Amino acid sequence: MSDDVSRRNVLFRLGVLVNGAAAALLAVPIVGYLLAPVRRVGGGGYRSWITLGSLSDFPEGETRLATFHNPSRRPWDGQTADIPCWVRHLEGENFQVFAINCAHLGCPVRWFPQSELFLCPCHGGAYYADGSRASGPPPRALFQYTYKVENGQLMIFGGQLPTLADPHASMTDGRPAARRLWAAGRSTPCA
Ligand code: FES
């Protein structure tokens, strides 16, 4: 009888131990997920200013491809952490920085200076030089990054692709983009 009780006791404790370990293992990703916004706000991360290059890299009147490193990249991301975008230098410190992804299904668009159009190879979507929709299936203009010029460097806000759900995305489809004032003073909202 006492043998039986002590065996049951041991098994019970073993069960508690195994269940506790399993719960701890399951909790790690959940806690990480819940704390992720706090870590992002804390500094760096994908909500940070990223340098695209010096102003001299982007001649006035031209649209050029630029690449930035995803600020929340992991060591195993390799080249997928290099994110391209299109930079259009209007004049002075006025730019437009477009996400490379088509607003239809996300294929990378390409700039054709001869026709002054961005063209999407997937379904024939076309955009004008200012990113507004020209023709094809895209329902809207190209997404734009918010940018600023600081110390002769062109910088964009955030390494994530702007979307309609993201307040930092702006549009050039004829409607005024949301104007934002940045503490940096010289920063300029896209649009
Ligand atoms: S993904 Fe560009 S037109 Fe469909």
Side-chain angles (χ1 to χ4, degrees):
M1 175 76 171
S2 72
D3 265 5
D4 203 30
V5 169
S6 80
R7 194 180 318 133
R8 207 176 300 155
N9 231 339
V10 169
L11 286 175
F12 175 75
R13 286 184 184 177
L14 202 61
V16 169
L17 206 68
V18 169
N19 280 323
L25 280 176
L26 283 175
V28 170
I30 294 170
V31 170
Y33 172 78
L34 292 175
L35 291 182
V38 179
R39 277 186 287 144
R40 284 170 193 151
V41 169
Y46 75 99
R47 288 204 176 277
S48 51
W49 287 101
I50 303 161
T51 304
L52 286 185
S54 118
L55 290 194
S56 56
D57 295 336
F58 307 105
E60 273 192 16
E62 288 192 22
T63 297
R64 288 200 172 175
L65 191 66
T67 304
F68 63 90
H69 298 300
N70 183 347
S72 44
R73 66 184 176 277
R74 302 273 187 269
W76 53 85
D77 285 344
Q79 285 195 327
T80 60
D82 296 336
I83 303 174
C85 61
W86 290 105
V87 177
R88 180 184 187 217
H89 191 172
L90 298 163
E91 38 80 34
E93 294 188 357
N94 287 326
F95 287 84
Q96 285 184 295
V97 184
F98 302 109
I100 198 165
N101 303 87
C102 178
H104 180 220
L105 294 178
C107 290
V109 299
R110 200 170 151 208
W111 169 245
F112 288 84
Q114 304 85 349
S115 54
E116 299 211 323
L117 288 171
F118 291 100
L119 298 177
C120 176
C122 290
H123 314 105
Y127 304 84
Y128 294 117
D130 66 353
S132 57
R133 177 188 173 277
S135 67
R140 46 151 291 140
L142 288 173
F143 290 101
Q144 291 186 51
Y145 291 98
T146 297
Y147 72 90
K148 70 175 179 179
V149 175
E150 204 168 85
N151 300 325
Q153 300 286 312
L154 177 63
M155 306 171 91
I156 56 170
F157 188 67
Q160 68 173 13
L161 182 70
T163 66
L164 286 176
D166 185 334
H168 297 290
S170 60
M171 307 204 287
T172 55
D173 55 358
R175 284 176 280 157
R179 296 247 151 206
R180 290 174 289 280
L181 295 174
W182 297 95
R186 290 173 67 204
S187 58
T188 312
C190 298

